[in-house]
Amino acid sequence: NIAANAFANCSGLQSVVIGVCGDLAASVFSGKSKLATVSLGTCGNIGDSAFNNCTALTSITLNCGNIGKRAFYGCTNLKEAVIENAGAIGNSAFGKTGLQTLRITACGDIENQAFVDNSNLFGNHSLRTVEIDTCGKIGSSAFAYAKNLQTVKIGTCTSIGSLAFGFNSALQTVEVDNCASIGKNAFQAAGAPIVELHIQNCAIEQAAFYMAKIQTLTLENVSDIADAAFQSSTITNLTLSHITSLGEGVFAGCKGLTNLTIEDVDTITEGTFKIYDTTLGNNVETITLKNVNYIGNYAFY
């Protein structure tokens, strides 16, 4: 293990190369403003604020245990992070960085606001690409307000929390292959638009994509879509297949819809596609229904 004060007052430190070690203590390299190169082979836990304000650091590759709170906070020139294997990633661990590309092969939970400056959620974020093969849960606001984020690819995760990707107005590509649940407001007001979104084998919670901008949406083998999940979204083409249940107003206010394909859906509940203000009109041209058992009041009003 490397203790907190092991490199105290090493103000000129420019490079650190460590093959194998135990834990890095909290703040162990904090404030080393000239530290430009860090090579960590395999290490234990990275403590809270371990590399806080290392403003010369430009890239990092990690094989480690847990990554503590604010571990790389304030690394304003950090452009790329590759996490090959890690435990949990703590609150604001990569907040207030210059991070543009994030690549995670495997990690534990990504905690709330992990990649956000929690002192200023509305700040100017540089993050453009997030690719995650496997992780645990993605916490609340983990990537929120990243207004330049264009690409999100997730292989397997336990859940995506509330506002995790909320207000990411530049999003064009979203791929989620295997996720048990997408939480409330997870992608609220996201999209530039999102060109094509295919979601399968999960549950979608209330208002998960409220006011999102999506061109083509396909939902397949989704166990549950909660109330208002896509309310007021700008979806153009929609395909629903093998949906267990649709909550009320799931697609209400989606006045941009032009083509609907709905098959193997037992129940289309009340007001599912209702347009609130009929003076706005709507663009629906084609509705194709196959193996639908019940259509509720005002479902297509």
Side-chain angles (χ1 to χ4, degrees):
N1 298 332
I2 300 177
N5 296 315
F7 298 96
N9 297 326
C10 293
S11 57
L13 187 62
Q14 298 178 26
S15 178
V16 172
V17 179
I18 299 174
V20 178
C21 72
D23 296 342
L24 300 179
S27 303
V28 63
F29 293 104
S30 179
K32 302 296 187 286
S33 60
K34 295 182 181 180
L35 183 57
T37 303
V38 174
S39 176
L40 297 176
T42 301
C43 68
N45 298 326
I46 297 175
D48 295 351
S49 301
F51 293 90
N52 182 50
N53 288 326
C54 289
T55 53
L57 190 62
T58 58
S59 65
I60 190 74
T61 299
L62 298 174
N63 283 280
C64 61
N66 297 329
I67 300 173
K69 297 176 182 179
R70 300 167 70 92
F72 293 89
Y73 186 89
C75 294
T76 51
N77 282 303
L78 183 63
K79 300 294 191 294
E80 180 182 20
V82 177
I83 299 174
E84 295 178 347
N85 204 322
I89 300 175
N91 181 283
S92 232
F94 290 86
K96 204 175 180 179
T97 67
L99 202 61
Q100 296 179 3
T101 302
L102 172 66
R103 180 78 176 89
I104 298 176
T105 303
C107 72
D109 292 344
I110 298 174
E111 301 292 349
N112 299 347
Q113 301 177 345
F115 291 86
V116 170
D117 175 8
N118 58 12
S119 67
N120 179 19
L121 284 176
F122 300 97
N124 183 10
H125 299 283
S126 55
L127 190 60
R128 287 171 171 77
T129 302
V130 173
E131 296 183 3
I132 302 172
D133 289 349
T134 303
C135 69
K137 69 176 184 179
I138 299 176
S140 175
S141 298
F143 297 92
Y145 300 98
K147 66 181 184 180
N148 293 309
L149 182 58
Q150 298 176 8
T151 302
V152 173
K153 296 181 179 181
I154 300 172
T156 300
C157 70
T158 305
S159 62
I160 299 175
S162 62
L163 284 175
F165 295 92
F167 300 96
N168 291 349
S169 57
L171 267 182
Q172 299 176 29
T173 301
V174 176
E175 297 177 10
V176 181
D177 293 337
N178 190 357
C179 177
S181 67
I182 299 176
K184 292 181 179 180
N185 306 97
F187 287 86
Q188 179 175 335
I194 300 166
V195 177
E196 187 169 352
L197 179 59
H198 186 179
I199 300 174
Q200 59 184 348
N201 304 320
C202 75
I204 300 174
E205 296 183 14
Q206 186 175 2
F209 290 85
Y210 176 66
M211 295 185 69
K213 294 179 181 178
I214 304 167
Q215 284 186 357
T216 298
L217 174 64
T218 302
L219 301 176
E220 183 178 5
N221 295 320
V222 176
S223 59
D224 180 60
I225 304 176
D227 297 350
F230 293 88
Q231 181 179 322
S232 299
S233 295
T234 60
I235 303 166
T236 302
N237 302 301
L238 173 65
T239 300
L240 299 175
S241 178
H242 296 90
I243 308 298
T244 305
S245 66
L246 285 170
E248 291 190 17
V250 170
F251 298 97
C254 296
K255 64 182 186 295
L257 283 168
T258 59
N259 299 290
L260 310 180
T261 301
I262 302 171
E263 58 183 17
D264 299 305
V265 177
D266 183 72
T267 300
I268 299 174
T269 52
E270 282 65 25
T272 297
F273 295 93
K274 181 177 180 179
I275 302 299
Y276 297 116
D277 186 350
T278 56
T279 64
L280 295 174
N282 64 83
N283 298 315
V284 174
E285 297 173 355
T286 303
I287 300 174
T288 303
L289 303 175
K290 181 180 179 181
N291 295 331
V292 176
N293 186 50
Y294 172 82
I295 299 174
N297 296 329
Y298 302 103
F300 295 92
Y301 179 81

